[in-house]
Amino acid sequence: MADFEKKEHNHHHVTVGQALKSVTSLKSARESAVGGPPDSYIAADVFGDEEGAQIKYRTLGWQFVSFFMIAEIVSNGMLSLPSSLAVVGIVPGVILIAFLGIFATYTAVLLIDFKLNHPEVHNMGDAGMLIFGPIGREILSFGTIVFAICAAGSELLSGQQALSTLSNQGLCAVDLVIIFTAASFLLALPRTLDRLSWLGLASFVTIFIAGVVAMIGAGQSAVPGRVISATISGDFYTSFLSITNPVFAYAGHFMFFPLVSEMHTPRDAYKSAYFLQGFATIFYIIFAVVCYCYIGNTVASPVLFSLNEVWSKASFGIGLANFLVAAGLYSHTAAKLLFIRFFRGSRHLHEHTVWGWFWWVALVLLANVIACIFSIAVPVFSYIIGITAALFASWYTYGIAGFFWLFDTYHQGGGSRQAWYRQPIRFAIALFTILSGAFICVAGIYVSVKLIVVSYQEGLIGKPFTC
């Protein structure tokens, strides 16, 4: 259990007592935040007072935060969902997607609550420092960076698949990944996300259109005599392996902290969360059901490989922009976490200094290069993504939100556990959230490792740097 009585942190963070004092003052101050965050929020904010700054970070509106979140969550998430229905059946599959969407909405609200109560929190590492101390900070920071880089690598692979399909395998897959990485690097270079905001909108539009085109393509590629099952029974390994698709289709909550930190009106983040989760849940269900009903239990993962050539190329071509924006956004986030860790409170954060720009470009380049190397040099990289998601996304999207509620409720209630018991339903949900994160983590690692073993036994693992 978290160390709820810890009093001091290092020089980069305010103490718990100071944070709690800001919580009290924010309760009324945030009500008037429609025109921007109140002075008490800015005083504790990770970026501080930006008036007169050369580089201003708090510039995003809730609409563009929604587009960014959809760009990076819905991007690859929807393409594997029809295959999950083919394993567990359409009824439990739809119920699971809907439940996880509602659950992810609740945990997103808890994350935003925690961020508004602690303006100095920029990422999961900062949250870990408040709740678990220095060790928690390093573990959660490391996990965030690793997950962001692996997610960027996953988008690079999706981009490579799209380019390979469009070119009829006209170029070596390694070359295509390198080309896509160069584009991702250029896209991630702006220091502030408002420079990418319209690309976020374009990404949202393209992934939506690509999904609609894929559903039309599924209808045009309908399998004669297809089998559609209401429910399908199977062993734990097979069932949970398919369940990981919808579980991790909502993974991406770790992005809320950095994105909310760059909003000009942080309280509007609730609108972003509701828009994101509402769109994702409804779109996921429609997409999964339509594609599964037309193709049946033989549907591939990703589903675009089950379409005929024309519709597969059309969907991949339209979705290409989304893959690129998502890759750039993930690598940008990995670089920014380190950049702010190094330069928080210094002039290099808000001024156009040579030193600041040198390190920013170097970190963005490093994030993209590592993602590129992982995706082309590690034959089991796609499986490692599953392990990484099980290790970290299970907590960032689900489990850790329960700790956030316990921490704030405990301290706002005067440092007494009675504050938990006065809200028995929310206390029970917080415990359920933590236990759910732990279960997804352990079970996800188990099935991912077993999948690697099975793939090696069946000769499905290729060699590094091969076309």
Side-chain angles (χ1 to χ4, degrees):
M1 186 61 70
D3 177 10
F4 293 107
E5 298 181 358
K6 174 164 48 62
K7 299 297 183 181
E8 296 181 358
H9 306 302
N10 67 16
H11 65 283
H12 288 300
H13 296 265
V14 297
T15 64
V16 168
Q18 292 171 323
L20 294 173
K21 189 180 295 183
S22 69
V23 169
T24 303
S25 62
L26 284 175
K27 285 183 178 179
S28 58
R30 282 203 306 268
E31 296 300 325
S32 62
V34 291
D39 292 340
S40 56
Y41 187 97
I42 292 176
D45 184 72
V46 58
F47 295 117
D49 187 354
E50 295 190 316
E51 185 175 355
Q54 296 176 6
I55 302 175
K56 297 182 179 181
Y57 295 88
R58 289 195 302 272
T59 53
L60 291 177
W62 72 268
Q63 298 90 340
F64 288 106
V65 170
S66 301
F67 298 148
F68 279 135
M69 291 297 294
I70 290 173
E72 56 97 10
I73 287 182
V74 178
S75 180
N76 280 331
M78 70 179 186
L79 298 182
S80 60
L81 294 179
S83 65
S84 292
L85 269 58
V87 176
V88 299
I90 192 170
V91 174
V94 169
I95 292 174
L96 184 65
I97 294 172
F99 170 76
L100 289 172
I102 296 171
F103 192 21
T105 303
Y106 180 75
T107 57
V109 170
L110 292 183
L111 263 67
I112 295 170
D113 287 342
F114 190 81
K115 167 61 182 175
L116 295 181
N117 288 337
H118 307 279
E120 72 277 12
V121 170
H122 174 262
N123 53 68
M124 284 291 177
D126 292 341
M129 181 68 190
L130 274 175
I131 300 177
F132 305 111
I135 295 178
R137 177 192 189 185
E138 301 306 330
I139 292 175
L140 294 183
S141 294
F142 174 78
T144 302
I145 294 170
V146 169
F147 186 49
I149 290 177
C150 285
S154 175
E155 299 293 346
L156 295 180
L157 285 179
S158 295
Q160 174 264 310
Q161 291 176 335
L163 292 174
S164 293
T165 301
L166 292 171
S167 65
N168 295 320
Q169 286 73 42
L171 282 177
C172 174
V174 174
D175 295 335
L176 293 176
V177 171
I178 294 175
I179 293 171
F180 211 70
T181 301
S184 170
F185 165 71
L186 295 175
L187 197 66
L189 271 180
R191 289 266 288 272
T192 57
L193 288 172
D194 64 309
R195 302 295 181 90
L196 302 176
S197 56
W198 289 105
L199 289 176
L201 173 59
S203 178
F204 163 68
V205 172
T206 55
I207 198 62
F208 175 75
I209 295 176
V212 172
V213 170
M215 287 187 281
I216 297 174
Q220 297 296 315
S221 308
V223 177
R226 58 191 174 275
V227 176
I228 301 172
S229 305
T231 60
I232 301 174
S233 59
D235 57 27
F236 174 80
Y237 165 72
T238 303
S239 299
F240 193 83
L241 184 61
S242 68
I243 290 173
T244 57
N245 291 330
V247 165
F248 298 131
Y250 292 103
H253 280 32
F254 75 97
M255 291 289 294
F256 268 115
F257 284 156
L259 287 172
V260 175
S261 295
E262 297 198 30
M263 291 182 68
H264 55 68
T265 309
R267 189 169 180 79
D268 282 351
Y270 293 113
K271 299 177 184 177
S272 300
Y274 293 135
F275 184 86
L276 159 70
Q277 300 298 158
F279 172 82
T281 304
I282 295 172
F283 194 58
Y284 281 168
I285 292 174
I286 294 174
F287 182 84
V289 170
V290 170
C291 291
Y292 174 67
C293 287
Y294 277 120
I295 300 174
N297 288 339
T298 60
V299 63
S301 179
V303 67
L304 301 187
F305 289 132
S306 289
L307 310 183
N308 64 46
E309 183 179 358
V310 173
W311 288 101
S312 178
K313 285 186 175 181
S315 300
F316 267 128
I318 297 170
L320 195 60
N322 174 265
F323 302 147
L324 180 58
V325 171
L329 184 59
Y330 278 126
S331 58
H332 176 101
T333 301
K336 184 165 283 183
L337 263 60
L338 288 172
F339 186 77
I340 291 179
R341 177 75 177 267
F342 296 155
F343 296 113
R344 182 182 297 208
S346 75
R347 67 187 185 91
H348 302 292
L349 192 62
H350 288 100
E351 296 181 17
H352 293 291
T353 65
V354 174
W355 190 241
W357 272 105
F358 168 80
W359 277 107
W360 173 248
V361 174
L363 289 171
V364 173
L365 179 62
L366 182 64
N368 279 278
V369 168
I370 293 175
C372 178
I373 292 175
F374 279 176
S375 61
I376 63 179
V378 181
V380 295
F381 179 66
S382 59
Y383 304 104
I384 291 177
I385 293 173
I387 294 176
T388 304
L391 270 173
F392 301 112
S394 59
W395 291 107
Y396 296 159
T397 304
Y398 302 104
I400 200 170
F403 283 113
F404 291 161
W405 185 87
L406 291 176
F407 179 84
D408 277 350
T409 302
Y410 176 86
H411 286 289
Q412 291 174 14
S416 170
R417 291 185 176 87
Q418 293 301 317
W420 298 339
Y421 309 143
R422 286 193 290 269
Q423 303 181 62
I425 296 178
R426 298 199 68 183
F427 178 56
I429 295 176
L431 294 180
F432 171 76
T433 300
I434 295 171
L435 293 175
S436 297
F439 173 74
I440 295 171
C441 178
V442 174
I445 292 174
Y446 166 74
V447 298
S448 297
V449 171
K450 185 173 180 179
L451 180 61
I452 294 176
V453 174
V454 171
S455 299
Y456 265 116
Q457 292 173 345
E458 297 179 354
L460 301 177
I461 305 297
K463 296 180 180 180
F465 301 106
T466 56
C467 294

